[in-house]
Amino acid sequence: MRIPLAAAGLMLALAGALPAAAQEPSAKAGSPAPQFVPADFAPPARIEGPGFVLVPLGPALVKIDFDAYMSSIEHLQRTFTRSNDWPTAGISDADALKDMETEQARFSARTSFAYSVLTPDGKRERGCVYVYPSPVPGYDALVQLWVTKAEYDAGFDAKLQDWVSEWIAKDWPFRRVAYPGRAIPWATWDTLIASARKGAGS
């Protein structure tokens, strides 16, 4: 999945970061944009897990990605975005494609990394994983994930969370990672976001 451009401020509004249409970290005038990952780090391009494979989101996956999140609108609005803005029944094919192009561009630019969680044969999307810069000081990155309602009911959400936590710790160059809505309660994360915004505005 990707969070549509229509929901551009979504993730930061709900968790502090935003999938797909996430805002880029801002730099002060005249200063270079901060690097999210080291120049010599090669973001994983295909990762095999137990019963699934992760690949970067992009236009080639637009149909199965669309089918996945549209099958779970209420579930994702309640558990992932905490908003009625995404997903919605009115997402067009053009919007879906544009969002996938955005995710692919962010991955290429190394500003954020979004992955589709596919079945081993690549024919169905079980969910998505996002690795973003953290808007809260003290964290190197923010990681979020979702699975479809059917996968959630089957217990896959907890299994994927455990696997992703180990994968990030082992294969990514981060010392401290935020998992809002999981390791960090939403109420706590919302407070941290509010404090960060207040500090940035002072």
Side-chain angles (χ1 to χ4, degrees):
M1 143 247 153
R2 29 88 262 168
I3 290 202
L5 297 178
L10 222 146
M11 213 94 232
L12 218 18
L14 59 89
L18 358 176
Q23 296 178 354
E24 301 291 355
S26 59
K28 293 182 179 180
S31 65
Q35 272 196 339
F36 179 32
V37 293
D40 60 354
F41 174 70
R46 179 183 173 85
I47 314 93
E48 294 186 4
F52 60 87
V53 60
L54 266 66
V55 298
L57 281 171
L61 297 174
V62 65
K63 178 62 169 62
I64 58 176
D65 181 59
F66 182 87
D67 289 345
Y69 59 75
M70 293 301 279
S71 75
S72 305
I73 292 176
E74 292 183 4
H75 167 69
L76 294 177
Q77 288 178 346
R78 185 177 68 256
T79 64
F80 182 62
T81 62
R82 298 190 296 157
S83 167
N84 293 330
D85 292 340
W86 189 91
T88 64
I91 297 173
S92 69
D93 291 345
D95 286 339
L97 178 59
K98 188 173 183 180
D99 289 332
M100 297 300 275
E101 292 172 340
T102 297
E103 289 290 18
Q104 185 178 64
R106 292 179 186 280
F107 196 107
S108 296
R110 301 164 64 87
T111 56
S112 67
F113 305 93
Y115 293 89
S116 174
V117 182
L118 303 173
T119 52
D121 62 8
K123 294 182 178 180
R124 181 171 60 83
E125 184 175 87
R126 304 182 70 181
C128 284
V129 176
Y130 304 89
V131 182
Y132 288 99
S134 172
V136 173
Y139 291 97
D140 303 313
L142 175 150
V143 174
Q144 290 195 288
L145 60 92
W146 62 262
V147 301
T148 64
K149 178 64 163 58
E151 294 286 2
Y152 185 91
D153 291 344
F156 182 56
D157 184 85
K159 294 177 181 178
L160 182 61
Q161 172 64 43
D162 289 345
W163 184 89
V164 166
S165 296
E166 294 182 6
W167 172 56
I168 294 292
K170 179 171 64 76
D171 294 341
W172 289 77
F174 305 130
R175 294 183 179 180
R176 194 178 184 206
V177 179
Y179 291 89
R182 295 176 182 273
I184 303 174
W186 281 123
T188 301
W189 185 251
D190 291 341
T191 298
L192 292 173
I193 289 294
S195 296
R197 287 174 176 168
K198 184 176 180 181
S202 60

